[in-house]
Amino acid sequence: MTPWALAVVTAGSGSVVDFESLIKEATDLTAHARLPVPAYRALQASSRNRESVHRDRPGWFADGDGTGFLRTVERAGRTEWTVMEHDGPGCLTAVWTPYFYYSLEDRTGPNVRVYLDGSDRPVIDEPLIRFVRGEGSVPEPFAFPTARAGDSYLPVPFAKSCRVTMTAKPFYYRIDYRAYERGTAVRTFQKSDGDKALSLAATVGRRWTAPPRVLADKDLHDLQAQGSYSVRLPGGPRAVTGIRIDLPESVGRPQSLRNVVLVATFDGERSVWCPVGDFFSNADGLHPFSTMQRRSVGDGTFFCTWPMPYRKDATLTLLNLGDTKVRASLAATTASWRWDSRSMHFHASWRPDDVAVGSVFQDWNFVDVLGKGVYVGDSWTVVNPQRDTWWGEGDEKFYVDDDWKRGFPSHFGTGTEDYYGWAGGVLPDRRDEFSRPFLANVRVGGLDGHTMGVNVCTRSRALDAVPFDDRLRFDMESSFGTDIRQPWNLLGYSSVAFWYGRPGASDNRPPQPRAASLPILTVQNLQRRSDAIREKVGRARTLRTSYQDP
């Protein structure tokens, strides 16, 4: 049995991209496991600070990302602010904005207007905040609220052009969209498609929100220290359709979430080497959440339904890199798969614990991939040892193909929490945790009532997946919740990037067995390191002052 249909329902060569074909693609888990047809570039418009023009020039880490726009235009005697425009066929795939407009008291904001194919009549014209939170013409699950924000995943295809404006000066926003090659047949979004969204909402909602299929229970196996347990899968071509891992000892011993590693080898290529906890956004302990592709029940049971095709053979393995025995189980289901020139292997790229220093501005790299593939999601864990501080001002930056040579990314966002679909405005606390089909704020620290502690965010992609032909690099600006960066202001980072790649694709995240065997980074550890740096800097300043004293 398989939990999803294996038919390829994305628009194929010679077919027309329209609202219905895009809905089918968005609800089909197999779509990302094949290179997209028709091909597209994933692009982004955002309110980022326009002082950032090149990564090697001043202004690259400029904050104040909430007011950027392209230009103003006069229409029927009224001013509109243009925030996105594209000439050629394409599709809006995701729109995000906070649920407040310049002030926490303003929960309406300006109207968003979407003009397609040069028309002077907008196909969408309604308050932006209501639009993205499912309170306007777009129903859930196509648009929904998160913590102080809203996210719309309504596909809005266009054949010739798209322009998005606001009826007042913009606040924070992010618009993801596809740019198809010229000549691609696209049927432009009509208001009648909005009526279709209403009729499809229940069906799409069930497909997007149904938890990953529960596989049959398997016997627990003893994983000795430095031992392993493997499941060799049936010969291909096939695809893994579901994985279940049981790690009951993680309830009382969270260190096992880091010590037990999931390894996947497809057609002789190792493409997954990642601790179980990190793979399931539970790096430091058990946190229940459920998205379309991954689920943590909260008792040491985990499920994954990202499809993992292989042409000939595949093996799944659990490694125990700890110093004590662990009881665990690993189960998988597979289904037939038509392997062709578009088929890809699934990858999970883990970057282990790393400590960033507050006095250094940097873009912290999740992954750098060489080859051809599609980026489909990520998980970020941030250990914050500072009381009553905010760590999430950093902007995401996706470099696709030649972007790195040009010095500017295709995607340049407005803040970490914005990238993960929610918003600031106030200091977050545990009440801001949520799970949505493609977004989850899995954990908010809470040791100080706010973000001190371990914070975990994750995002998976639907129509906003990012294809690449030669290279993809994903960076996140390292950001500290203090006005003055000091060398003793520390943050701990770790991450997992999820992507598909054609055979031979590679990345800069090799296996890290030593890192997986070490204790999980804790707030207490970072606080001790911070205190040591502060003391050292204080002694140096005292010595320098004494030396200069006449």
Side-chain angles (χ1 to χ4, degrees):
M1 297 291 292
T2 175
W4 33 259
L6 281 169
V8 178
V9 295
T10 53
S13 177
S15 62
V16 176
V17 176
D18 61 12
F19 178 78
E20 292 185 80
S21 74
L22 290 163
I23 291 297
K24 290 179 181 179
E25 180 183 349
T27 55
D28 176 25
L29 278 170
T30 70
H32 291 152
R34 298 183 190 271
L35 292 170
V37 174
Y40 67 88
R41 290 180 297 130
L43 299 174
Q44 182 189 82
S46 77
S47 59
R48 65 171 181 83
N49 193 318
R50 266 45 180 184
E51 291 181 27
S52 302
V53 295
H54 192 286
R55 69 173 183 275
D56 293 329
R57 297 177 188 170
W60 191 243
F61 296 105
D63 204 0
D65 295 305
T67 60
F69 60 94
L70 297 176
R71 65 184 63 85
T72 58
V73 295
E74 297 298 319
R75 195 181 300 272
R78 296 173 299 182
T79 300
E80 296 183 19
W81 282 255
T82 302
V83 296
M84 175 269 176
E85 62 182 3
H86 179 76
D87 290 325
C91 176
L92 301 183
T93 58
V95 180
W96 163 89
T97 201
Y99 80 166
F100 56 94
Y101 175 72
Y102 283 97
S103 163
L104 287 170
E105 285 69 43
D106 186 346
R107 303 294 176 86
T108 303
N111 273 27
V112 58
R113 292 177 174 169
V114 179
Y115 300 92
L116 303 180
D117 297 350
S119 173
D120 289 332
R121 297 176 63 87
V123 69
I124 294 172
D125 183 2
E126 60 187 280
L128 173 64
I129 295 172
R130 292 180 57 82
F131 173 77
V132 298
R133 287 176 61 83
E135 299 166 351
S137 64
V138 182
E140 288 200 45
F142 298 107
F144 49 82
T146 59
R148 291 177 301 282
D151 295 83
S152 170
Y153 284 85
L154 182 77
V156 181
F158 49 90
K160 298 178 181 178
S161 66
C162 176
R163 282 168 178 76
V164 180
T165 70
M166 306 286 184
T167 57
K169 185 178 180 180
F171 194 41
Y172 285 85
Y173 67 87
R174 189 192 72 242
I175 302 172
D176 292 339
Y177 63 99
R178 291 180 172 187
Y180 293 110
E181 296 177 354
R182 291 195 177 274
T184 301
V186 178
R187 191 177 75 84
T188 299
F189 184 89
Q190 307 291 327
K191 289 193 175 182
S192 60
D193 291 328
D195 297 332
K196 291 178 185 176
L198 287 170
S199 64
L200 290 171
T203 300
V204 172
R206 285 193 297 271
R207 293 179 180 176
W208 281 0
T209 60
R213 180 183 175 90
V214 178
L215 307 178
D217 287 326
K218 297 293 183 181
D219 293 334
L220 293 173
H221 300 269
D222 286 334
L223 293 182
Q224 302 295 334
Q226 307 303 310
S228 65
Y229 170 71
S230 295
V231 176
R232 187 171 180 82
L233 302 173
R238 297 186 71 80
V240 175
T241 60
I243 294 175
R244 172 174 176 161
I245 296 175
D246 289 271
L247 198 57
E249 291 179 43
S250 59
V251 174
R253 198 166 72 86
Q255 181 63 38
S256 62
L257 294 166
R258 176 59 57 80
N259 294 157
V260 179
V261 175
L262 173 65
V263 182
T265 301
F266 302 112
D267 299 323
E269 295 185 11
R270 183 194 60 248
S271 63
V272 175
W273 199 102
C274 183
V276 170
D278 294 80
F279 187 95
F280 289 99
S281 301
N282 278 210
D284 71 305
L286 295 173
H287 311 302
F289 79 98
S290 184
T291 59
M292 190 174 177
Q293 297 91 353
R294 290 174 304 135
R295 182 187 183 199
S296 166
V297 177
D299 63 357
T301 306
F302 306 97
F303 302 95
C304 174
T305 53
W306 256 311
M308 303 179 187
Y310 55 96
R311 185 173 187 176
K312 295 180 179 179
D313 52 67
T315 302
L316 301 178
T317 300
L318 291 181
L319 298 177
N320 178 15
L321 298 179
D323 54 10
T324 60
K325 180 180 71 175
V326 174
R327 300 276 285 168
S329 71
L330 171 64
T333 55
T334 66
S336 60
W337 180 271
R338 182 176 57 83
W339 185 273
D340 57 19
S341 60
R342 293 172 51 214
S343 297
M344 295 183 286
H345 292 141
F346 177 82
H347 294 253
S349 303
W350 176 56
R351 181 171 179 181
D353 292 333
D354 176 58
V355 177
V357 179
S359 56
V360 178
F361 286 89
Q362 65 169 306
D363 284 332
W364 195 87
N365 176 247
F366 277 55
V367 71
D368 197 337
V369 179
L370 298 179
K372 190 178 185 71
V374 178
Y375 189 90
V376 296
D378 44 76
S379 180
W380 204 20
T381 300
V382 180
V383 183
N384 177 21
Q386 305 170 74
R387 292 185 177 276
D388 300 325
T389 58
W390 175 229
W391 52 265
E393 286 301 317
D395 306 330
E396 86 270 15
K397 296 160 186 176
F398 275 88
Y399 299 87
V400 180
D401 297 332
D402 292 335
D403 287 349
W404 185 258
K405 296 178 182 178
R406 289 195 294 267
F408 199 87
S410 295
H411 297 217
F412 195 132
T414 61
T416 310
E417 82 277 27
D418 308 346
Y419 172 76
Y420 287 109
W422 52 292
V426 299
L427 202 56
D429 59 33
R430 293 292 306 279
R431 292 172 294 180
D432 294 312
E433 296 170 359
F434 63 86
S435 288
R436 287 294 190 172
F438 310 110
L439 304 163
N441 196 13
V442 179
R443 176 74 185 196
V444 175
L447 295 183
D448 60 344
H450 297 290
T451 69
M452 179 181 171
V454 177
N455 302 265
V456 186
C457 301
T458 189
R459 173 177 175 178
S460 59
R461 292 170 174 266
L463 297 177
D464 54 335
V466 184
F468 51 95
D469 289 329
D470 303 302
R471 183 182 184 185
L472 180 136
R473 180 185 174 101
F474 173 31
D475 293 343
M476 187 76 78
E477 180 184 339
S478 175
S479 178
F480 291 74
T482 54
D483 294 331
I484 301 175
R485 289 175 174 245
Q486 300 288 358
W488 54 79
N489 291 331
L490 307 178
L491 289 174
Y493 296 138
S494 62
S495 69
V496 183
F498 302 105
W499 54 282
Y500 286 92
R502 285 288 295 157
S506 61
D507 64 15
N508 62 337
R509 301 290 167 226
Q512 297 275 359
R514 173 167 169 73
S517 69
L518 294 174
I520 298 169
L521 186 65
T522 65
V523 169
Q524 293 74 22
N525 177 279
L526 278 186
Q527 287 174 333
R528 288 192 293 269
R529 295 174 66 169
S530 176
D531 291 343
I533 294 173
R534 187 190 294 267
E535 183 179 350
K536 183 177 179 180
V537 171
R539 288 199 305 268
R541 288 176 176 172
T542 300
L543 288 172
R544 186 165 57 250
T545 302
S546 299
Y547 178 77
Q548 294 173 348
D549 192 19

